[in-house]
Structure formats: C-alpha cells, structure tokens
Amino acid sequence: MFAGLPATGIGGIFYMGLVFLMPFKELWRAMKGESSIERWIFIASRWGLFAIVIAMMWLQAAIMKWAIGADMSKFMAAGASAATGAKTDSLAGATLYLAILSLVGVMSLVYLVRAVIVVRSALGRR
Amino acid sequence: MSTIESKPASPESTQERSRAEKVRLGLKRSGQLVEQFAEPAVRVGKELKSMLLDPAPVKQIPRPIVAPSIRPGDKPRLLGGLTVLIPAYNEGKFVADTIRSVQRQTVHIDHVIVIDDCSTDNTGDIARACGPEIVVVRPPKNCGSKATALNYALDYVSTEYTLAIDADTTLADDAIEKLMPHFDQPKTAAVCGMVLPRFVNTMWERGRYIEYLYAFLFYKPIQDYYERPLIASGCFSAYKTDILRQLGGWNTRTVGEDMDLTWSVYRLGMSVRFSPEAMCYPVEPHNYHFMSKQLERWCAGFAQCIKVHWKDIVGTSVLRSMVATALWDAVVSVFALFILLPLLAIFVHPAFLLGYFLDLPTIVVPVLIYAAKRGEFFKALSSIPAFWVLRFINTWFVTRAFWNEFIGKRSIKVFEKGH
C-alpha cells in the first residue's frame, strides 16, 4: 500500500503472511552469516504487533456479534458462508475465508503470468 | 551568490555545458581529495576491527558513507559528496523553509541546486537570498513536469549522490545523516525517508497524517525488510548519481516519476532502502481542490507505472505480489465500498454498514501505537475519522484512474502540482 490507495483488504493478509515468513528468511540469512540481533528484534516487534492486531480483531468480532445480536450475526454469517462457500457459522471466519481465497487466486494468477512470460521468452530465444 | 540563468541555445549552450563540465570536474577533484584523506583511515580502522572483533570472513563489507570532519567545527562530510536538488514552481511561500532545513543539516552538503521552473512568483529571488552557496538554475521555458526539471539540473551534478526534495518539504536536522548510511551496501541504489505532514489541521491533512503513519510505519518497514519498498517517495529520496544517469534520470513517460524510477532501479537488479529515522515534512493538500489534483496524479501514476513495468514487476520477487495485492484491493474496494455494502444495508439489514469498519483494528492499532511512541496519541485518535473519508475519496480516484488508463484510454500527461 502507498498513500493514495485504499488500505488493507487482501493486502493486510498478504503483509501478515510476509511477517509470518520473516523468521524463516532470517534463519536463512543467519546460515549465510548475514543476520544480526537488530534484525531479530525487528521481526519480534512485527510479530508482537500482529498478535495485538489479531487480538483486537477477535475483540471487534465479539463486540459486533453482541451489538447486532446473536440471531443477526448467525444470519449474516450464513449469508457470507453461502456467498463464499465457507463451512463456518462465524461472520469473521467467512470474511477471512473469502479474503484468503482472493489472495490465493491473485497470487496464482501472478505466478501463472510469470510462467507464461518465462516460457514465451524461452521459446523466443530458440 | 552563484546563479546559473536559463540554458541558452547553441553555441552559448555549448559554452554553458563546458562551463558546467569544468565546474563538475573541479568539484569531483576536490571530492576525490577528501576521499584520499579520509578513506584509508576508515579502511584501516575497519580492517583492524574485523581482525580483532570478527575473525569470521565477512561476506559483504559495508562501505562507510560518512567521514569524520577534517577540521574541528566542520560538519562531517559524505564520502563521494551529495548534491541536493529542489525543483520549484511558484513555491515562494515554502521554498525558503526548505532551503533553510537543508542548510541546518548535521552533515556537510556539497551543493544545493534550486530549479526555478520559470515560476511567475518570486521563488528564484527567495532561493537566491537564502545564501551564496545556493545555486539557482532557471530553464529557458517551463519544464512541464517535476521529472524534466530534475533532469535539467542533473547535468550540473558532480557528486556521487543526488538527493531530491520537494520545494514544500522541510527536513529534520539529522535527516540526511540518518538517510545516507543506508547506502553502505553496494547493491543499494536509492534510499527514501519517512514522511509526515508538516501541518495537521484540516480534515484532508488529518486523513493524510493517518495514511502516512500507517503506510510508512506499518507497511514500509516490512517492504524494506524484503528490500522492496514499493516507492521511494519523490518528496525526499537520495540516489546514486551514476545509477540515475544510467537510467536516463527521472522518466517523463508517467506522471508518477518517483514510482517509475523505483521500479526501474529494481529492473537493474539493485535495491531500494527505507530509513524510518530520516524524517521529512511536506505540506500536504489542505482542501479538496488540491487533494483531488494530487490524488488524480498519484493514482494515474500508479496505473501508468503498472502499464509500463508490468513485465519487469512480474519478474521481480516480492514486488510482484505487493503490486498485485495493491491492485486487487484498489479495484475490488470500489465494488465493496460503493456497491455491495450499501445494497446489503438497504435490502437486507442496516447492520451490514458495519462492514465499513471490518478492518478497523488493522489500521487503528498500529497507527495509535506509533503515534503514542511519538507523543501524538490524541492527535492520531482524533484524525482517524478523517482517514475513513480520505479512503473513500482514494477509492474513487484510483477507480477513475484505472478506467481512464486502461479502458477509457484517456491517459493523463499534463498535471498541476504544488500549491
């Protein structure tokens, strides 16, 4: 995201994925002798931040459920599940499912385009 | 006071060029002299340190950037030298603040060049009045874009590093000192700093304040960890001059010259870094009129850069996923915000309006944590509603830009910038 674009959406989940992968990348760097304690502290701070964000999202889901009532919450969750094909009775679960599904779709498309370009350029070289 | 007036046509232009070349050579020699004195000492110190403290083989030796001052009282010098370029068009109100903030830097700046792009106000005079070391250049006619104005001045740059700042942007006193050490890796071609609005008063400035806190302190450090900042902001970024020249300077094919340059750097296999400690403060649009113009340009720039660079983006790890998700969010958000949620709220249940706040914690939690660290908790808290308004406006402008660029074929080439 940069200023001028609407924030989050699947971008939020994507960046969460990047943070999740950081320790593995850092471990690889450590094996190459390129890691440092500052980098591990940075990773820990990002993990901590995301833990707080997830906790707050859970809290928000609970408040929303309470605010709109259990029946309405179930109704909305059923609608969201029907729309997304998710096997869940939770609104947050269905929304998350839809976002992850979109992210996987977008990523697959990007890698498909990349494969097409690589194959086409390889064929062009022949 | 050194002033280089308009670039005349030949044969004067040849004379002007040769004069600039002579100046450049002279400055380069003086820079080399400083390097000759400072570099061996730093190298010996580094070797000693690596022998005594770190006997393991070092894979990539960072190159020192800041050399100690030679005479007591002098500011530390940047090895290779640094030229600051300030493109300005009718920025008489702000340019003096910008220049003074450069003069206050804690490191020595070799040259400051203000490009007075045929302003109709007193921008040039104000810049000249700031000091004899300020070089003011005035192209023969208005360049029409910031990129062209910067390229005009690039001819006069003789230092190893070039820093571009907007004429309405002030720097923290230690901004350049904090920024330049990120060039220690040979692969680094550009470094950008942290941006926060100078004034946070109107709704638009408040919305932008939250947007910057979120983008620069939440997303950008993650992008930087993977060495792929999405954009080195044009309002405050430094570059290796030879890489800039290799890329032909700032490109004019898009209206987002900073993003275009950033992605061109990745194409070369070089990296861009982000320095969160290097602070700059631009003047952000204070009303809808200026905000709409800025958003129109930014969104069109993003769409045009995707059009120009898509093949390179797909071939660049991490960047491809970042751009794809940003693109998806930009395009889908219009459907969710303007169509799906209102329809569900009207025809099914008003509770669906809560969907607008579904990602509230994702934005609010990091923003408030960062703001609290800066002692600005309440300022951030009171600005959050403005961000939601700006987000709607962003969605509209990004949709319009993509429609114009890809479907309507009405690409923006001319734009109005500044205040």
Side-chain angles (χ1 to χ4, degrees):
Chain A
M1 181 258 183
F2 74 98
L5 281 187
T8 61
I10 63 166
I13 296 171
F14 169 69
Y15 280 90
M16 224 177 257
L18 285 183
V19 170
F20 177 75
L21 291 175
M22 276 179 183
F24 301 101
K25 187 175 163 66
E26 201 55 33
L27 216 55
W28 177 247
R29 288 182 69 107
M31 281 160 65
K32 293 197 291 177
E34 293 170 1
S35 186
S36 68
I37 189 75
E38 288 81 17
R39 293 179 67 90
W40 283 105
I41 290 170
F42 171 76
I43 292 168
S45 73
R46 296 293 122 174
W47 271 60
L49 187 61
F50 271 108
I52 297 171
V53 168
I54 289 167
M56 291 304 291
M57 287 190 87
W58 177 84
L59 185 68
Q60 186 198 25
I63 292 170
M64 277 172 86
K65 197 173 175 178
W66 170 78
I68 61 178
D71 289 345
M72 185 57 208
S73 175
K74 266 192 180 166
F75 164 71
M76 285 168 76
S81 299
T84 61
K87 299 276 182 288
T88 172
D89 61 351
S90 135
L91 182 61
T95 314
L96 190 67
Y97 179 87
L98 178 65
I100 291 174
L101 203 71
S102 309
L103 182 61
V104 170
V106 170
M107 291 293 118
S108 308
L109 189 67
V110 169
Y111 280 89
L112 184 71
V113 173
R114 188 183 170 220
V116 169
I117 290 174
V118 169
V119 169
R120 280 184 65 175
S121 64
L123 289 173
R125 273 201 295 270
R126 281 189 181 175
Chain B
M1 185 189 310
S2 40
T3 305
I4 299 167
E5 278 300 335
S6 62
K7 200 188 230 178
S10 58
E12 286 87 345
S13 122
T14 328
Q15 282 177 349
E16 189 66 48
R17 288 256 174 189
S18 69
R19 193 177 137 217
E21 187 60 28
K22 273 181 195 165
V23 171
R24 189 158 66 211
L25 280 173
L27 294 167
K28 200 171 181 180
R29 273 190 211 119
S30 63
Q32 282 167 349
L33 264 176
V34 174
E35 277 191 29
Q36 271 175 13
F37 282 110
E39 266 194 324
V42 177
R43 201 171 54 237
V44 169
K46 194 160 202 46
E47 279 170 10
L48 272 173
K49 188 188 161 205
S50 82
M51 277 164 61
L52 296 170
L53 302 176
D54 187 14
V58 179
K59 296 255 174 191
Q60 214 174 18
I61 301 169
R63 185 181 176 283
I65 299 297
V66 183
S69 55
I70 295 168
R71 286 175 305 187
D74 278 2
K75 287 179 182 178
R77 282 175 174 270
L78 300 161
L79 294 178
L82 174 75
T83 301
V84 174
L85 302 182
I86 308 173
Y89 175 70
N90 287 351
E91 293 283 5
K93 196 175 166 190
F94 299 111
V95 75
D97 291 343
T98 304
I99 295 170
R100 282 190 206 110
S101 80
V102 173
Q103 288 169 325
R104 280 197 306 269
Q105 287 303 300
T106 50
V107 289
H108 175 80
I109 311 294
D110 295 78
H111 312 287
V112 182
I113 302 177
V114 177
I115 308 111
D116 172 22
D117 196 4
C118 298
S119 302
T120 52
D121 68 354
N122 54 353
T123 300
D125 295 333
I126 292 173
R128 281 182 204 98
C130 286
E133 75 280 17
I134 308 299
V135 176
V136 180
V137 296
R138 190 177 165 97
K141 59 174 187 173
N142 182 274
C143 291
S145 72
K146 186 175 137 188
T148 316
L150 285 165
N151 289 335
Y152 180 82
L154 191 58
D155 281 347
Y156 297 105
V157 175
S158 59
T159 50
E160 196 175 321
Y161 301 99
T162 304
L163 188 140
I165 59 171
D166 283 354
D168 60 3
T169 300
T170 53
L171 305 180
D173 291 355
D174 59 353
I176 295 179
E177 189 184 351
K178 294 273 167 61
L179 191 81
M180 297 307 284
H182 290 268
F183 278 109
D184 62 351
Q185 299 298 324
K187 251 177 63 181
T188 306
V191 184
C192 55
M194 163 79 196
V195 185
L196 276 182
R198 196 184 324 173
F199 307 116
V200 185
N201 300 316
T202 68
M203 184 187 75
W204 306 103
E205 290 165 340
R206 284 179 176 275
R208 186 49 61 75
Y209 168 65
I210 298 295
E211 202 173 32
Y212 280 170
L213 272 179
Y214 188 56
F216 283 90
L217 292 171
F218 185 65
Y219 276 150
K220 208 122 186 178
I222 301 172
Q223 294 171 355
D224 181 58
Y225 177 84
Y226 287 92
E227 296 182 13
R228 291 280 185 269
L230 197 59
I231 176 171
S233 315
C235 66
F236 176 41
S237 286
Y239 309 88
K240 278 185 181 156
T241 309
D242 58 339
I243 302 291
L244 260 182
R245 291 211 167 97
Q246 195 182 333
L247 291 168
W250 285 266
N251 217 307
T252 52
R253 62 193 164 184
T254 69
V255 293
E257 76 290 328
D258 44 4
M259 182 175 272
D260 194 350
L261 184 61
T262 309
W263 293 1
S264 299
V265 165
Y266 292 138
R267 197 185 64 220
L268 291 181
M270 309 286 287
S271 69
V272 175
R273 301 306 308 273
F274 165 62
S275 170
E277 311 88 20
M279 300 289 304
C280 81
Y281 307 96
V283 176
E284 291 300 328
H286 63 284
N287 60 22
Y288 178 74
H289 175 73
F290 290 116
M291 182 60 86
S292 64
K293 285 184 186 307
Q294 192 188 58
L295 284 176
E296 194 169 23
R297 187 171 64 85
W298 282 4
C299 296
F302 181 50
Q304 289 171 4
C305 283
I306 289 176
K307 218 152 85 172
V308 169
H309 288 278
W310 74 271
K311 273 189 182 172
D312 298 320
I313 295 168
V314 169
T316 310
S317 65
V318 188
L319 184 69
R320 57 175 162 248
S321 309
M322 287 191 314
V323 173
T325 51
L327 186 60
W328 175 266
D329 280 349
V331 173
V332 168
S333 59
V334 70
F335 173 72
L337 294 182
F338 292 141
I339 301 169
L340 184 68
L341 287 176
L343 284 179
L344 286 171
I346 293 165
F347 293 110
V348 183
H349 195 281
F352 275 101
L353 289 175
L354 290 170
Y356 285 115
F357 304 100
L358 217 54
D359 57 359
L360 184 81
T362 325
I363 295 161
V364 169
V365 171
V367 161
L368 291 182
I369 288 176
Y370 295 132
K373 272 187 194 169
R374 297 177 50 81
E376 297 172 354
F377 181 85
F378 289 106
K379 186 162 106 177
L381 191 66
S382 61
S383 301
I384 283 169
F387 171 74
W388 248 257
V389 176
L390 188 58
R391 195 182 187 186
F392 269 88
I393 309 281
N394 285 348
T395 306
W396 167 246
F397 274 94
V398 83
T399 309
R400 210 174 69 165
F402 275 92
W403 180 270
N404 285 341
E405 294 294 331
F406 290 99
I407 299 164
K409 303 284 178 194
R410 289 194 303 269
S411 188
I412 293 177
K413 292 288 173 212
V414 180
F415 59 89
E416 202 179 309
K417 191 180 180 301
H419 307 273

